[in-house]
Structure formats: C-alpha cells, structure tokens
Amino acid sequence: MRLGSGTFAACCVAIEVLGVAVFLRGFFPAPVRSSARAEHRAEPPAPEPSAGSSSNWTKLPPPLFSKVVIVLIDALRDDFVFGSKGVKFMPYTTYLVEKGASHSFVAEAKPPTVTMPRIKALMTGSLPGFIDIVRNLNSPALLEDNVIRQAKAAGKRIFFYGDETWIKLFPKHFVEYDGTTSFFVSDYTEVDNNVTRHLDKVLKRGDWDMLILHYLGLDHIGHVSGPHSPLIGRKLSEMDGVLMRIHTALLSKERETLLPNLLVLCGDHGMSETGSHGASSTEEVNTPLVLISSVFERKPGDMRHPKRVQQTDLAATLAIGLGLPIPKDSVGSLIFPVVEGKPMRDQLRFLHLNTVQLSKLLQENVPSYEKDPGFEQFKVSEKLHGNWIKLYLEENNSEVLFNLGTKVLRQYLDALKTLSLSLSTQVAQYDIYSMMVGTAVVLEVLTLLLLSIPQALHRKAELDVPLSSPVISLLFYLMFLVLSAIHVIVCTSAKSSCYFCGLPWLAACGVMALISALLCAIVSVLTKMFIRGSLPSKNPAPPNSGWSELDLLMVFGTVGHVVSLGASSFVEEEHQTWYFLVNTLCLALSQEIYRSYFLRDDGEPQCCFRVEQGFAGATPALQDRTGYDTREQDRVHVSSSLSEVLRGHEKWMVLASPWLILACCRLLRSLNQTGVQWAHRPDLGHWLTSSDHKAELSVLAALSLLVTFMLVQRGCSPVSKAALALGLLGVYCYRAAIGNVLFPWQQDNRDISKGIIEARFVYIFVLGILFTGTKDLLKSQVIAADFKIKTVGLWEIYSGLVLLAALLFRPHNLPVLAFSLLIQTVMTKFIWKPLRHDAAEITVMHYWFGQAFFYFQGNSNNIATVDISAGFVGLDTYMEIPAMFLTAFGTYAGPVLWASHLVHFLSSETSSGSALSHACFCYALIGSIPVSTYIILVTSLRYHLFIWSVFSPKLLYEGVHLLITAAVCAFFTTMDQTSLTKS
Amino acid sequence: MKDTDIKRLLYTHLLCVFSIILSVFIPSFFLENFSILETHLTWLCICSGFVTAVNLVLYFVVKPNASSKRSSLSHKVTRFLKCCIYFLMSCFTFHIIFVLYGAPLIETFLFAVILSTFTTIPCLCLLGPNLKAWLRVFSRNGVTSIWENSLQITTISSCVGAWLGALPIPLDWERPWQVWPISCTLGATFGYVAGLVTSPLWIYWNRKQLTYKNN
C-alpha cells in the first residue's frame, strides 16, 4: 500500500497525541489519599493511649470554639498584613496582631498557587495534584474528606459568601450562601460589596456556627494593576474595616456563650510582583494567617517575623478547634499555639489524634512505613504518652508530671513535623508503567518519522507501507504476546494504583497491538534501508554541498532548542531561545540574499564555479533520493532569477526586508516581558494597559486593526472583504464596550458592560468568513481546473482566523497581530518568492516564527500567563467547551496563524504538487521532536526541585501544542487530498 | 603555497594570541584592582588596543600582499582615513545587530568594538578598504591565498564564538561572567583565539586539497 507522506505524518501525530495523553495521565500523580472513602465512614476516633487499661477517654475531645469566622482574602500576600502596607492600611489588624489576643503566622502555600487547589488545601489539608490547576475553571464537587463536610455531619450550620468556586466544591453544604463570580477581572468593587452586604444581617442573627467569607477584589486588582497600585491600599483598608466589624460583633456575642469564638484571617495565595499568581516565587507562596480569639494570651509578639507554618495545617487546626475528626487526607499538623492554653492532658490528646491520623495516612500510602523516622517517633511518643496517662491517673507529683508531659509534647511535635514532611513528599509518586507505555508509543512514532525522512521528502512524497509480510506478522504476534504477558505481570504485581492497568482489557490490548505494530513498521523500514544500503553503493553520503548555511542553522537550532529544554532556566526563558533563533535566521537570510545579489552583480567567476559544483553535487543525487538535488539546482538559478526580479525600489526592499523583520521583532520583544528572570522589567504592554494611557492604547489598537485590514483584505473576495472590515470594526466596539479603549467622541469613562452583543456580532462575521472559505474550497474540488478559487478559499479561512484572533487578543497585543501579518507579507513577497526556498525550509521558518509569536503575545511556560479572559469573550456564563476552545486559540494564535499562512502560501505559490505533503511531514516532524525529547527529559528529571513549578507546566504546554500540531497536520492533509483528487 | 608560508602564518597568529594573553596580565601591574570580570570594560579597551597594535605591526612587518603600486602620501592618508571610517561603520553595524538581538542600548558598544577588532581590523590590514575584495573572500570558494583563508576562519570563528557566548545568559547560576556583555566578549575572544590556532593547522592538514587560482 502506498501512502502520501502528508497522510502518514498526520497519522503519526495522531498516534503520538495518544501516547502523550497516556504519559500525562501517568505523570501527574494522583495525590495522597486515604483508601477509606469519605462516604462510608464514622470509624471511632483513636482512644487515648495508656500503659494500663485505666483510661476511658475514647470520644473526641469537645470543641474549643463555638463560632468560627473565616475571612479569606484572595491573593493576600504576607507583607500586605505584616509589612509596611499592613501598618499603613490595616491599622486594626495590625493592632490585633501586635497587641491583641491573636496568633499570627506566615502560611506557606504550595504551588500551584491558584485559587481552587488552595481552597482544597485549606479545607482538606491535603496537597491537591498539579492537574487540579487544569480543572480550576470547572471545579467539580470535592470528594475528599474535609472540614466542611465534617462540620456539616456534626450538625453545624455553615454560611458562605464569596467566590462561587466554594459552592461548586461544596454543593449543598452551606445553609445560606451567595456566590460571586471571578470571571470579570476588571470588577473589583462589586464582587466585594456583594459579600459585605450580608454581613450586618448575619452577624446580628448569629444562627450559624461557621461563617466563611471569600473576598476576590484584591486578586482582581492585582491582575489588573499589580501589587503596587494605589487601589491595593484602598482595598486593604476596606478589608480592615470588615475585619473590625466582625471582630467587635464576635466579642459582643461571646458574652452570651460559654465558649470563645475564633476569627481566622487568611489568604489563599500571594501575588507576584507583576500581580499574577500560579508559580512558586516567594511573593506568591507566602500568605498571612492570623488566628484571633479572646482565649489566646495577649502577648507582645514579634510582628515582623511571624512563625512559618504550612497552609495545610489550617484544616487539622480547625477540625480540632471545632471538635471534629481531622480530615483523613490531611497532611498538615496542628498549629500548636492554638491549644497552648489547655490543660496538659487535652494538649496531648489533640496531638495524639493528629499523629494517629497522619501515621494512618502514611501506612496507606507508603509500603515501607515502618522504617519512616516519623512513624518510629510516633510509636515512641505514644508509648511515653501512655506512661504519662498512667502517672496522671495515679495522681502523681505534679512537677514530675509536668516535666514528663513537656517531654512527651516535644516528642509528639517532632513526630508530627516529620510525618507531615514525609507525607508531603509522597505526593510526587509517579505511575511509571503508564509513563513507560506512553513514552514507548511516542518514541516509536518519532523513530518512524525520522527513518522515513528520505522517502517522505522524495519528490513523489509517497511511502511504501508494507502490509503483512510473513516475517513481520510473525514478529508482530510475538511482540504482542510478550507485551500482553508483561502487562499481566505488571498489573497483578503492582501495589500502587496504575492508570493503565485500570483501563478495560480491550483498550489495553489495543495499545499493546499499536506498540508492536509500530515496532514492526520500524523494523521493516530498517531492513529495507539496510538492503538498499548493502546494494553496490552507487554514491557515498549525500553530498555535503547540499546543505546551505540556512539548513545547518535550522538543524542546529532545532537540536539546540531540544537540548536546552533539559535546563530549568532555559524552559523558563524559552522565549529568549526562540527570539535568538529567529534573529539568527533573519541574519542568515540576509546573508543569503546579499550573496546571491552581489555575486550576480559582479558577475565574477565564482558563479560559474558554483554552477559546476552544483551539477557535480546533483548528478549522483539524481539517481537517488531526497529533494536536495532539485533544490540545489534551484538555488543555482536563484541568482539569475533574482536579478531579473529585482528592479528599482523592489531591489532595495529585498535587501532591506531582513532588517525590517529584525526591527519588528525587536519592537515586539519589548512589548511583553515574559519568562521569570526579566519579567519584572518595565515593558510597553504594562505602560499601555495602565489607566493613564488609555488614549495611546486606543490609537495603537485602531492603527493595528487598520494595518491588519490592509494586509488581509488583498486576498479576499469582495464579500468577505466587507465582512472583515465590519468584523474588525466590531472588535474595536467590543473593546470600547468593555472599557479597554475609548472612542474619540467620548472622553469620560462610561459604564462598563460585558460587550456580549458586540462580541457576538464579530463571531457572526468570523463564522461567515470561514463558511465562505470552506465553500470556495469545496467548489474548487468540484470544478477541477479552478486553481484560483482554492487559493482564495484558503486565504479566507486564514483571514477568518485573523479576525478571531483580533477579537480574542488583549488590545495591547493587537500590534502583535499586525506585525505578524506584516512580517508574513514581507517574507512572502521579498524573501520566499525570489529566493525559492523549498517546502521544508519554508515550513521550518514558519514554525520558528510561530513559536516566537507565541511568546511575543506575552505567553510563557508558566500557567499564570494563560489569558483566561479570552475564553469569556461574548459568553454570558461559563460554558466549558467554547471557553476552552477560545482560550486555547487565543493562547496558540501565533503558531496557528503562521501554520495557516503556510498552507495558503504553499498551495498558492509552488507549482509542484508534493510541496504540501512535504510541508505537512516537516511540520509533524519538527513539532514532535521537542515533545518526545521533553518526555524523556521530564521522566529523568522527575525528582528535580523545579519539577512542579517549571517542568510540569511546560509539559502541559507541550501536550496542548502537540494537539494543535495534530490539528494543523490534519488540515494540511485534507488540503493535500483535495489537490490530489483534483489532479 | 609552501610550508614556509604556513609557518609564517602560524608565527603571526601565535603573536596575536600572545598579545591577548598579555592584555590579561600586563595591566594588573599598572592598574589596581584589575581583573577581567570586575573591570571588564577596561580590559575590553586594553585588549582591543593590543590586538589592533599587533595587527598593525604584523601588517607592516610581514606584508602578506605587498602589492600597492602607487604609494603617494595622499593616497596613504586617504586609505588610512577610509580604514578608520570602515572600522567605525563596522562597530555601529555590530552594535545595531546586538541591539536587534535584544541587548541594552548603552552597555553594548564596547562589545561591538572588540568584535570589530577581531574581525574588521584583520580584514582592513589584509585587504584594505576594498569592499569587492571582502565580498570575494567571504563568498564560497573565493579565497586566493592562505592568508585570506585564515582570515575567513578567524572572522567566522569570532562571530560564532560571540553567538555561542550569548547562550549561558538565561541560566540562573548568577555567576559574575553571566553579566552582559562579559559572556559574549569572552566567547568572541575564545572564538578568535581558537580561529587563530586552528587555521594554520587546518591549512596545513588540507594543503593538498587547497589550490588557489592566482597566487
């Protein structure tokens, strides 16, 4: 069977996507879980240990507090409370922290510092898996054991006001609630007023046991204008006022009840210097935790240096404070100062409960738990505790009792710390078997792609696919049997849960068959190469002269980029790599242009010499494979064609075009500073988005839209031209409606709407243009000879995508779009056409520019830079599928636009029919090399310090990128197919 | 092409390498607190001066292509002025390229100067301010003597060295040599030295294959 190389590549990428999916499922570990599910429950609490059998305290200790109020302020950084900002803007809180009856701590949040995982961590005490970040927008109900569930089970009445993530996480848990949405980031007053307006009524009523308030305004301010904005101070003062109201109300209530109340002020995560969050910088992980209750001692605390605790410790502390069982999955330890005022027996009882829970969790998650130092300490301290109880019940000398008690206490605290630590590190458990299976699939596909380069880039662009030669099929069945046997052995012997073993047998068998089939394909290709190689060698290695500097640069650039992914800094600063490569590419292009231009002009003998050499190189290659031969001949004629093409000002444009592109890239580079090390540098983007420069931003956005229109309209049919113009106008109206830009006739800030109508107006035009394009493509397939319609159709699809990108981009990013179109136009007109690069080279250049534009947009390999707001353009409520699609398109607009330009360019310019399939093959290859290598790198670096903060986000990015590559390849192949059927 | 030619080439190149080594050690006798990393810009000036001086001396002593027939004084002066202008232009060109690569605007100039010293000055010495000759030398198969061949090698290796020198900048090791432009200048210097050392050897090993058209 013969297969076009484009189809072959598309199939390969599709299989690779499957492999990467299996790998990802194995790589992102399921978090530490207690095996006992929360549903069937109510096992009795651990009894108090005693050396004799004389203690009978087997029930849970009574609660310490009657009412608990949790004030969670989103993105509250530690220095907002404990630093100079706190002193200035939060006087009441500062007073409480310094002189009041309170304990203050810096609670360390683990990355990912995003709201939903942090809420989970606060309430369950467990460390949610990295993959939770992806589910952040679509939070399903929390299934794990948590404080809220326990409190509800104990009959407590819980009220909640604030971020509606809570309501999704804990459905039907709250007696009374009001959720606010966090999707409209520009709103930072109303979200908080919606919470505060309930406060008076609720505080007066007092028919609740637990009140949770989640304020989002501070986070929104951070996202919009950063941590040093003047708005922050105002918001902090507002929060201070809220805290004062709650505290005074609680104090007045306390007289009626026996038990004291507890007020908790905490943040879910911090805020980086740019105002975002998600990563693991100090500013993002450090949050304040202030516990206020009249039962605590008033002590002059050192406010500047509060003690450090873990964020997960709050769950255990709250559970103890409310007299509830500690959540089963909690890895936190009790914050000891809270119970310090209690009698010694109670203190020891609390600590014992906590250690028993932790050691149970350890037993369930670690096979060799007995050797764990924490577990040993726990055993020792439990024994000591028993002795102490015995002494206590015998009413021994109080001083001896006290001394022994403090010793036990210290022992318990040590045990808690060790246990908590070793459980936290347990989270990084990988499902190695699934990872191996995924890696095997991906690597086999890559090998197959690499091995078929010579055949696929041959002029015919077709591959022989051997079907069922007897030896190969024997090999296939053998491999299949062996792999199935391995699968059975691994799955029956594995102790820990394994995703791949959990699959139904049929699916697992399918994957095994796939692996063995791929292996057989590789073997057959290898044997064929070997047979061909052992034939009388007609030629030595392919002539070296076939490699121009440009090709060398592309090969080395690709290899260098792939190798650089092994270093965390290079992953963080990947944009630098791409900018560097693209710049060098431009210089190499300029060198090529100058050489062909000047050498021709001089008419020196070198030219003749080059021709000779070219033929010398080409003749042996002609008999053989690879497209290099044709290209080398092309290259020889380039110089002649160049001087013919170049007349007048066009000559100068050709000479200047690489420099023009370089200058554009330099401007774009200063638009968005991304990465980590230099992200804090001032950039044009921040300058434009600050509210003082709205007029400049409006002018720039309008100009960019105008340039976009000018550049795109030339290839469209009149109807879509009009649609494009209206659509771009609609984009501006949408931005004006949501308050990003201004119309010239309105200087004042009007009220801000969501711009739903305007955005939908644009969507209609996007769909219309895409529809026209598809119609033209179909028409071109029916009416065979019409080549031009196809070109127009492809351009219309391209312009539809441009319009969609214009709608989704933030206004300060619109220049990126305009410049990308400008560069594409310049390159098409002055570089690719006159220099006649072959399809493979043009593909690689498109890919590189696409990558560079991904970063020019302000993206990075950090989850926090994903612009989620793109997913809500024109949507009234959160709808998962459109939102995900829009966000993905907005993020990967750069690569997608360049790829679609590539399709249009190749199908319109090149005469040879195989160009598209060559390009598809190259695109698939160059897209899958980094992914496959990165998978291996990440597997070997899985215990690296930065695995979660740097490598895992990049892995997710790579996965999505591969998915998009697969989509692009599918598009290529359909285009190729249409051209094939036509010819 | 004779072996003596190659030997002469080797000696001149060794002298250039020696001048760079001297530029590292001699200033520490005269200047206090001199070190390459801390007073990097001073070293750049000194190194560039040394290399220029050695190149000029070698040019007058060795005279690889002593073929200028007219040698009136005015001709020499214009030639010299032209050389200066070419040198400055190459500095600015390099500077522009570095800025396009993302370098800061101010601190970059001395790096442009030193790279011009490694590339443009030998070209000026050997070929004179003659753009056509430059183009010839730097096109494929355009060299006509071992001097030009070695010129090609050293120039390209200095540029590649500077290019490679930029690679460690994003790493978060926080070493003193990662500060801009130290790694790039060091890369260029190492590239230049490597080019100086390897070019005679390469020419020696390939002397059979190398045939120059009109020597």
Side-chain angles (χ1 to χ4, degrees):
Chain A
M1 189 178 83
R2 294 190 77 77
L3 200 62
S5 59
T7 323
F8 169 72
C11 293
C12 281
V13 178
I15 297 172
E16 206 170 1
V17 168
L18 181 80
V20 170
V22 172
F23 178 87
L24 284 180
R25 188 58 188 72
F27 182 80
F28 289 109
V32 170
R33 288 279 173 273
S34 163
S35 59
R37 297 306 315 163
E39 286 89 55
H40 42 88
R41 57 151 10 193
E43 51 187 276
E48 195 173 33
S50 57
S53 57
S54 37
S55 166
N56 54 359
W57 194 9
T58 54
K59 278 190 301 211
L60 271 180
L64 307 176
F65 306 106
S66 68
K67 286 189 195 313
V68 173
V69 181
I70 300 173
V71 180
L72 196 158
I73 301 173
D74 215 290
L76 189 66
R77 203 159 95 170
D78 62 338
D79 66 324
F80 287 170
V81 176
F82 304 132
S84 58
K85 276 215 176 76
V87 175
K88 198 167 158 198
F89 299 114
M90 302 187 84
Y92 189 75
T93 317
T94 309
Y95 163 76
L96 283 178
V97 166
E98 278 181 345
K99 303 196 181 68
S102 70
H103 292 298
S104 44
F105 306 94
V106 172
E108 189 186 323
K110 286 270 190 286
T113 46
V114 184
T115 299
M116 191 195 65
R118 277 6 301 154
I119 294 175
K120 284 188 180 177
L122 281 169
M123 288 300 122
T124 64
S126 64
L127 293 171
F130 188 87
I131 209 71
D132 278 327
I133 208 169
V134 185
R135 302 193 210 131
N136 189 5
L137 287 171
N138 174 31
S139 41
L142 191 58
L143 295 174
E144 298 122 44
D145 194 9
N146 57 67
V147 176
I148 306 282
R149 180 199 293 268
Q150 296 283 8
K152 183 169 179 268
K156 309 240 178 215
R157 292 169 59 83
I158 312 167
F159 284 23
F160 172 77
Y161 304 106
D163 187 356
E164 62 181 7
T165 313
W166 285 76
I167 299 165
K168 287 179 189 154
L169 277 178
F170 307 104
K172 298 182 193 149
H173 282 67
F174 303 120
V175 178
E176 201 169 289
Y177 59 85
D178 180 21
T180 55
T181 171
S182 66
F183 293 137
F184 296 101
V185 169
S186 45
D187 163 32
Y188 43 78
T189 44
E190 207 162 309
V191 272
D192 288 356
N193 289 340
N194 281 344
V195 178
T196 314
R197 65 180 178 184
H198 300 282
L199 214 54
D200 274 329
K201 187 180 52 161
V202 166
L203 288 175
K204 211 176 287 167
R205 271 164 50 193
D207 55 346
W208 45 270
D209 303 297
M210 200 168 174
L211 173 65
I212 302 170
L213 307 170
H214 187 146
Y215 282 99
L216 285 169
L218 188 67
D219 184 52
H220 289 187
I221 293 173
H223 280 299
V224 172
S225 52
H228 302 296
S229 143
L231 293 170
I232 294 269
R234 245 183 283 158
K235 182 54 77 179
L236 288 178
S237 313
E238 183 192 329
M239 293 294 117
D240 195 46
V242 168
L243 206 75
M244 182 163 78
R245 271 166 70 185
I246 298 171
H247 190 228
T248 42
L250 282 182
L251 283 181
S252 64
K253 274 263 155 50
E254 221 161 72
R255 286 173 212 126
E256 301 156 22
T257 53
L258 292 170
L259 283 171
N261 297 326
L262 175 68
L263 172 58
V264 180
L265 169 70
C266 59
D268 55 347
H269 51 74
M271 185 189 289
S272 71
E273 280 303 303
T274 55
S276 71
H277 54 88
S280 55
S281 66
T282 332
E283 293 89 8
E284 282 162 279
V285 298
N286 283 349
T287 64
L289 174 62
V290 184
L291 305 171
I292 305 158
S293 173
S294 55
V295 75
F296 299 148
E297 279 177 62
R298 286 169 187 275
K299 40 132 201 22
D302 182 8
M303 153 150 193
R304 298 278 146 242
H305 304 286
K307 249 179 68 180
R308 297 187 69 86
V309 294
Q310 293 295 315
Q311 205 176 30
T312 44
D313 295 347
L314 186 67
T317 312
L318 276 180
I320 297 274
L322 289 169
L324 307 168
I326 299 173
K328 288 197 188 96
D329 303 325
S330 161
V331 298
S333 55
L334 174 66
I335 299 175
F336 185 67
V338 174
V339 297
E340 225 164 12
K342 293 270 141 191
M344 182 65 87
R345 186 175 179 187
D346 290 10
Q347 290 182 23
L348 290 180
R349 175 86 176 119
F350 294 138
L351 290 173
H352 178 241
L353 282 173
N354 198 184
T355 25
V356 166
Q357 175 259 332
L358 284 183
S359 57
K360 232 183 227 164
L361 195 62
L362 190 76
Q363 281 179 35
E364 277 161 3
N365 284 291
V366 184
S368 58
Y369 63 92
E370 272 153 345
K371 289 185 199 93
D372 193 275
F375 192 75
E376 283 164 8
Q377 279 172 339
F378 160 66
K379 282 290 165 208
V380 172
S381 34
E382 196 174 35
K383 210 164 137 203
L384 280 175
H385 188 187
N387 290 336
W388 187 86
I389 292 291
K390 198 172 156 199
L391 279 179
Y392 176 81
L393 292 177
E394 286 163 9
E395 281 167 40
N396 232 317
N397 183 349
S398 68
E399 199 183 333
V400 176
L401 207 61
F402 180 76
N403 285 340
L404 190 59
T406 30
K407 203 180 148 203
V408 181
L409 208 70
R410 230 178 290 128
Q411 191 80 33
Y412 262 132
L413 287 175
D414 283 350
L416 270 182
K417 203 188 275 171
T418 331
L419 276 171
S420 175
L421 196 70
S422 61
L423 276 170
S424 312
T425 52
Q426 272 301 310
V427 176
Q429 248 191 351
Y430 297 101
D431 178 0
I432 296 286
Y433 181 54
S434 307
M435 281 161 69
M436 297 271 279
V437 172
T439 316
V441 172
V442 171
L443 282 188
E444 281 178 343
V445 169
L446 182 70
T447 324
L448 203 57
L449 278 175
L450 285 174
L451 284 178
S452 50
I453 289 177
Q455 258 196 312
L457 292 186
H458 194 270
R459 209 165 323 152
K460 268 188 290 188
E462 278 184 335
L463 290 159
D464 267 328
V465 179
L467 288 178
S468 69
S469 103
V471 182
I472 296 295
S473 57
L474 182 67
L475 184 69
F476 170 75
Y477 289 122
L478 268 178
M479 270 306 294
F480 181 60
L481 275 181
V482 169
L483 285 175
S484 308
I486 291 176
H487 182 68
V488 170
I489 291 172
V490 169
C491 288
T492 46
S493 67
K495 267 172 257 143
S496 56
S497 67
C498 164
Y499 168 71
F500 199 63
C501 294
L503 281 181
W505 276 97
L506 210 61
C509 282
V511 173
M512 291 303 163
L514 190 67
I515 292 179
S516 26
L518 284 172
L519 194 79
C520 294
I522 290 172
V523 169
S524 79
V525 171
L526 270 179
T527 43
K528 204 176 285 170
M529 281 179 89
F530 184 70
I531 290 167
R532 195 176 297 167
S534 65
L535 286 178
S537 57
K538 289 180 284 194
N539 63 315
N544 239 13
S545 55
W547 293 74
S548 68
E549 286 91 343
L550 203 64
D551 296 328
L552 277 181
L553 172 69
M554 284 171 177
V555 171
F556 279 117
T558 309
V559 172
H561 165 247
V562 165
V563 169
S564 80
L565 291 179
S568 61
S569 317
F570 278 124
V571 174
E572 280 172 345
E573 311 286 335
E574 200 189 341
H575 58 288
Q576 304 276 9
T577 315
W578 285 113
Y579 298 166
F580 197 66
L581 285 179
V582 164
N583 273 345
T584 314
L585 180 72
C586 286
L587 285 185
L589 281 174
S590 80
Q591 182 252 11
E592 201 177 314
I593 288 174
Y594 288 162
R595 196 168 58 198
S596 50
Y597 172 72
F598 282 116
L599 287 184
R600 182 67 206 172
D601 249 22
D602 293 355
E604 282 190 4
Q606 289 86 29
C607 215
C608 319
F609 185 67
R610 284 189 66 228
V611 173
E612 278 166 30
Q613 190 203 27
F615 282 130
T619 33
L622 271 178
Q623 309 158 356
D624 196 47
R625 45 191 175 166
T626 69
Y628 291 127
D629 45 357
T630 52
R631 207 207 26 229
E632 182 63 33
Q633 285 169 329
D634 268 0
R635 193 66 54 71
V636 173
H637 299 300
V638 162
S639 29
S640 54
S641 71
L642 198 61
S643 62
E644 283 157 22
V645 170
L646 307 184
R647 290 280 169 263
H649 75 283
E650 200 164 337
K651 178 177 83 183
W652 292 109
M653 273 312 294
V654 170
L655 293 182
S657 54
W659 302 97
L660 184 70
I661 294 164
L662 278 173
C664 289
C665 290
R666 183 69 176 94
L667 281 177
L668 288 178
R669 173 199 270 261
S670 52
L671 187 65
N672 285 310
Q673 288 280 1
T674 69
V676 171
Q677 277 190 58
W678 295 285
H680 60 273
R681 292 244 183 109
D683 57 14
L684 276 175
H686 277 89
W687 186 81
L688 285 171
T689 41
S690 73
S691 50
D692 309 338
H693 302 111
K694 227 175 203 178
E696 287 90 334
L697 181 64
S698 311
V699 171
L700 192 66
L703 264 180
S704 312
L705 289 176
L706 195 67
V707 171
T708 311
F709 176 70
M710 301 297 280
L711 291 174
V712 176
Q713 51 90 21
R714 65 204 155 82
C716 292
S717 61
V719 179
S720 48
K721 212 177 274 188
L724 185 73
L726 284 173
L728 289 173
L729 210 61
V731 170
Y732 194 83
C733 292
Y734 168 70
R735 286 296 161 189
I738 65 167
N740 289 139
V741 295
L742 294 171
F743 281 121
W745 53 86
Q746 45 167 218
Q747 293 306 317
D748 52 335
N749 284 328
R750 339 164 279 151
D751 49 331
I752 294 165
S753 73
K754 290 179 189 171
I756 302 247
I757 299 168
E758 289 87 347
R760 289 190 178 163
F761 177 76
V762 181
Y763 281 135
I764 289 171
F765 285 113
V766 171
L767 291 178
I769 294 174
L770 287 178
F771 176 73
T772 333
T774 326
K775 196 189 72 190
D776 283 351
L777 285 180
L778 291 176
K779 204 196 276 174
S780 79
Q781 206 171 357
V782 177
I783 309 166
D786 209 343
F787 181 65
K788 208 174 164 223
I789 288 184
K790 189 184 171 194
T791 318
V792 172
L794 279 173
W795 185 267
E796 273 164 353
I797 286 186
Y798 169 69
S799 51
L801 294 179
V802 168
L803 182 56
L804 184 59
L807 177 64
L808 298 183
F809 273 5
R810 299 261 181 114
H812 75 272
N813 270 341
L814 286 174
V816 178
L817 189 66
F819 273 125
S820 127
L821 296 174
L822 185 69
I823 292 177
Q824 282 167 358
T825 317
V826 168
M827 293 276 271
T828 310
K829 222 168 173 182
F830 301 117
I831 295 183
W832 292 323
K833 273 192 204 173
L835 284 184
R836 293 199 199 159
H837 291 108
D838 78 345
E841 285 171 322
I842 290 177
T843 311
V844 177
M845 286 190 229
H846 270 95
Y847 178 81
W848 282 17
F849 270 101
Q851 289 295 312
F853 271 86
F854 176 74
Y855 295 103
F856 282 142
Q857 276 170 246
N859 288 321
S860 71
N861 285 329
N862 189 335
I863 298 283
T865 51
V866 176
D867 182 13
I868 304 171
S869 68
F872 301 96
V873 173
L875 297 183
D876 232 342
T877 51
Y878 175 64
M879 281 186 279
E880 192 179 352
I881 303 220
M884 265 165 67
F885 171 75
L886 290 176
T887 312
F889 181 79
T891 312
Y892 283 91
V896 170
L897 285 182
W898 278 87
S900 55
H901 182 265
L902 174 64
V903 179
H904 170 259
F905 176 75
L906 286 180
S907 55
S908 67
E909 295 303 324
T910 51
S911 45
S912 85
S914 59
L916 262 179
S917 44
H918 282 174
C920 179
F921 183 81
C922 286
Y923 203 86
L925 184 68
I926 203 167
S928 56
I929 288 176
V931 180
S932 334
T933 326
Y934 192 67
I935 278 180
I936 300 170
L937 282 173
V938 147
T939 312
S940 58
L941 292 173
R942 63 189 181 282
Y943 297 116
H944 194 278
L945 180 62
F946 296 146
I947 187 70
W948 272 37
S949 55
V950 177
F951 291 111
S952 303
K954 172 68 182 161
L955 187 60
L956 287 181
Y957 272 106
E958 283 291 331
V960 178
H961 188 221
L962 186 71
L963 200 64
I964 281 168
T965 310
V968 167
C969 284
F971 182 54
F972 263 109
T973 319
T974 40
M975 288 303 106
D976 199 22
Q977 234 57 46
T978 54
S979 70
L980 276 184
T981 48
K982 200 182 69 191
S983 57
Chain B
M1 183 181 55
K2 284 156 273 172
D3 283 357
T4 49
D5 261 353
I6 299 179
K7 220 173 258 176
R8 260 191 352 173
L9 183 76
L10 179 68
Y11 290 145
T12 52
H13 279 191
L14 285 183
L15 242 128
C16 287
V17 175
F18 190 60
S19 75
I20 289 179
I21 295 172
L22 276 187
S23 77
V24 176
F25 291 109
I26 286 192
S28 54
F29 295 117
F30 302 105
L31 300 170
E32 278 182 28
N33 305 327
F34 177 84
S35 76
I36 292 188
L37 294 185
E38 273 146 45
T39 54
H40 187 71
L41 297 183
T42 332
W43 175 72
L44 281 187
C45 299
I46 293 168
C47 180
S48 143
F50 269 58
V51 172
T52 314
V54 167
N55 266 307
L56 286 177
V57 167
L58 286 176
Y59 167 66
F60 285 117
V61 173
V62 182
K63 289 200 177 156
N65 50 351
S67 61
S68 60
K69 284 150 205 161
R70 293 180 304 146
S71 50
S72 64
L73 186 69
S74 66
H75 178 74
K76 273 184 180 167
V77 169
T78 45
R79 199 179 148 90
F80 178 74
L81 282 179
K82 249 184 166 176
C83 284
C84 291
I85 291 170
Y86 272 48
F87 178 73
L88 274 180
M89 269 170 59
S90 93
C91 288
F92 285 121
T93 314
F94 275 125
H95 191 161
I96 290 170
I97 290 177
F98 299 149
V99 171
L100 287 177
Y101 262 91
L105 206 59
I106 320 277
E107 299 98 318
T108 312
F109 190 69
L110 277 178
F111 174 35
V113 170
I114 192 120
L115 194 57
S116 305
T117 317
F118 291 151
T119 55
T120 316
I121 284 190
C123 289
L124 285 172
C125 287
L126 205 63
L127 306 171
N130 178 358
L131 265 185
K132 269 198 176 162
W134 290 30
L135 278 172
R136 174 175 58 79
V137 170
F138 289 104
S139 60
R140 266 187 205 171
N141 309 306
V143 289
T144 54
S145 71
I146 54 165
W147 295 96
E148 289 175 359
N149 209 333
S150 73
L151 186 70
Q152 208 182 15
I153 293 174
T154 48
T155 309
I156 290 173
S157 64
S158 324
C159 288
V160 170
W163 190 83
L164 291 176
L167 297 188
I169 296 177
L171 291 171
D172 58 355
W173 299 341
E174 312 213 333
R175 297 297 156 85
W177 49 264
Q178 279 180 303
V179 180
W180 177 257
I182 298 181
S183 60
C184 280
T185 52
L186 288 186
T189 315
F190 284 128
Y192 180 57
V193 170
L196 287 177
V197 174
T198 49
S199 62
L201 302 176
W202 187 82
I203 289 169
Y204 181 74
W205 273 313
N206 291 299
R207 64 191 185 281
K208 296 274 152 52
Q209 283 93 329
L210 290 172
T211 46
Y212 301 110
K213 269 177 217 110
N214 38 358
N215 207 351

